Amino acid sequence: MFYIIGLGLCDEKDITIRGLEAVKGSSRVYLEAYTSILMIQKERLEAFYGKELIIADRDMVETESDEILRDADKEDVSLLVVGDPYGATTHTDIVLRARALGVSTRIIHNASIMNAVGACGLQLYNFGQTVSLVFFTETWKPDSFYDRVQDNAALGMHTLVLLDIKVKEQSEENLARGRKIYEPPRYMSITQAVSQLAEVEASRGAGVLTPDRTLAIALSRVGGGSEERIVAGSLAELAAQPPETFGQPLHSLVIVGRRLHHLEVEYAEGFAVNKATWRDVASKVYGCALDG
Amino acid sequence: MFYIIGLGLCDEKDITIRGLEAVKGSSRVYLEAYTSILMIQKERLEAFYGKELIIADRDMVETESDEILRDADKEDVSLLVVGDPYGATTHTDIVLRARALGVSTRIIHNASIMNAVGACGLQLYNFGQTVSLVFFTETWKPDSFYDRVQDNAALGMHTLVLLDIKVKEQSEENLARGRKIYEPPRYMSITQAVSQLAEVEASRGAGVLTPDRTLAIALSRVGGGSEERIVAGSLAELAAQPPETFGQPLHSLVIVGRRLHHLEVEYAEGFAVNKATWRDVASKVYGCALDG
């Protein structure tokens, strides 16, 4: 059996009992590299599982799937991934390859930001399509996400914005010289994300992301106990916060849509930079009927 | 500490290590009643945890939250819920109440249908707002979901349709006589859902849910190993299947939107009632470029 096992959001204790049993019964256990670079250290996982882990970067998962799947028709092999196996990165290719090889696959689900985003207090029902925001460069500022946020906003829906991660980047010089030397991983922060949103709003100008009139909620390390940060405010308020307000990466951002229930406003108020302005924008701009 | 712990999708082994530790350390453990009526039997959970569970129906969670939260400032109390605590049912009220009482709350996340729906092979990115389909009666056939599916469809997005569950229903006679006798729980099946969709399409006529030209994917017991069923086809094909094709409840349904990648079609083809018609509709009606 080939298992793809979601590790959940934070650390070694977020795996399910079913997942842990599969790991313990597997003859080889791969750890998707994104994972180890994020919040969970490989060594900590190995100690917890009592198993050695083989790092599999994205290239390996995509191009060397036959090695990962080797003998999985006769014994158990596991691939560990952060969040859920069907989160932002699906594992379609390797599952299709397993199918072609006649290897049975079992997915062991877990929380991912796609459902745990509910922690911000907004109803998951009212989220539209999810978008990604990539690191802008001097010459490359892809802004097609803006159209999608606008589509969601037109329907009153919230938008989950996933922020870019760069791992295994090469400098131009190293790339040119063919040196496999990689830059340290980079994670987009809320501060940078909000700044990029302002830049796109300035160029596109449809009023989808206005600093004082658009509410947003920043999330980091959801489910991570004392490391979790949820911060709500207008885009302008979020932009004005010192970076440490938002805690450690990964960060995600929710753009709040008009379809707001007063309980959602009240719930998220507990995370607000400024409760008064939060309520004020929710009632006056968003038209949400609030008490008092 | 007050813990709200997601149990995940299927059985006692879907809880996380973190969740299990919280259960074991709690002086009282409540089980939201929906849970026990679904796939996980209370006794099986109790045996696994080595703890007695107190059944809390929705009424109790909503109206007797102070009893659930009693002493949670001094000791640990847990509330177990199916899926993720922020799934279809959020627990906003009780968390707000805990906040008002000065009780710290910790959410322990898990998979829910809101993210595990990715198992059908479609990208979570491309889902729009989620809708619910309730049991129609002779006189009450609420169809506002149709507008939302149409909104999603206009943007090319997929729609997750959550199917109704009726628990603790009273017959009209028992209700009139004030007898607290409840009917057995009912879960809407794919067969009934597809029939109701056809009824609404017939009355609304916007072509959002045409039997032969709309693709859909039925899911049940996602993550449940041999009990999991994923069945793909046109609405007409799903309507023609014998009910047992779709397995045990809960059932959910995905209406496929136009924004389809060929890998998604290929992946879901593995679940298709008829591979040829699946590919045919995907390419000719949906306009997805497929090989061969």
Side-chain angles (χ1 to χ4, degrees), chain A residues 11 18 86 129 259 267, chain B residues 11 18 86 129 259 267:
Chain A
D11 67 23
R18 186 183 307 289
Y86 293 103
Q129 56 198 323
R259 199 186 288 162
Y267 193 102
Chain B
D11 67 23
R18 185 184 309 288
Y86 294 103
Q129 55 198 324
R259 201 186 289 161
Y267 193 103

Side-chain angles (χ1 to χ4, degrees), chain A residues 119-120 217-220 222 228-232 270-272:
Chain A
C120 74
I217 306 179
L219 301 102
S220 77
V222 174
E228 178 179 280
R229 294 281 184 284
I230 305 179
V231 183
F271 310 125

Side-chain angles (χ1 to χ4, degrees), chain A residues 138-291:
Chain A
E138 281 301 307
T139 52
W140 194 62
K141 300 178 194 288
D143 65 358
S144 63
F145 74 89
Y146 187 88
D147 301 309
R148 296 190 169 197
V149 179
Q150 188 169 15
D151 287 340
N152 286 342
L155 299 172
M157 292 190 289
H158 315 307
T159 305
L160 170 61
V161 185
L162 302 175
L163 307 188
D164 204 3
I165 304 169
K166 291 279 186 204
V167 291
K168 289 194 91 172
E169 266 187 310
Q170 286 172 282
S171 67
E172 283 187 23
E173 189 187 341
N174 284 327
L175 192 66
R177 297 184 181 216
R179 292 191 294 220
K180 292 199 169 173
I181 299 172
Y182 302 104
E183 302 299 305
R186 291 192 296 147
Y187 310 101
M188 190 186 294
S189 67
I190 291 294
T191 305
Q192 178 157 12
V194 170
S195 154
Q196 290 193 184
L197 295 183
E199 195 177 339
V200 174
E201 179 60 45
S203 72
R204 301 287 295 269
V208 175
L209 300 165
T210 46
D212 292 316
R213 298 168 57 83
T214 302
L215 296 176
I217 306 179
L219 301 102
S220 77
R221 305 229 162 170
V222 174
S226 61
E227 295 198 349
E228 178 179 280
R229 294 281 184 284
I230 305 179
V231 183
S234 67
L235 287 172
E237 285 174 330
L238 297 185
Q241 298 305 305
E244 58 270 24
T245 306
F246 304 111
Q248 297 297 311
L250 289 177
H251 293 177
S252 306
L253 184 69
V254 176
I255 307 295
V256 180
R258 299 290 164 118
R259 199 186 288 162
L260 261 184
H261 188 273
H262 72 88
L263 268 180
E264 295 174 272
V265 176
E266 200 180 325
Y267 193 102
E269 187 182 314
F271 310 125
V273 168
N274 180 317
K275 293 185 192 340
T277 56
W278 174 258
R279 290 176 68 89
D280 199 52
V281 176
S283 77
K284 291 186 188 149
V285 180
Y286 281 65
C288 185
L290 301 176
D291 298 337

Side-chain angles (χ1 to χ4, degrees), chain B residues 218-223 227-230 246-252:
Chain B
L219 302 101
S220 77
R221 306 228 161 169
V222 174
E227 294 199 350
E228 178 180 279
R229 295 281 184 286
I230 305 179
F246 303 111
Q248 297 298 310
L250 288 179
H251 294 177
S252 306

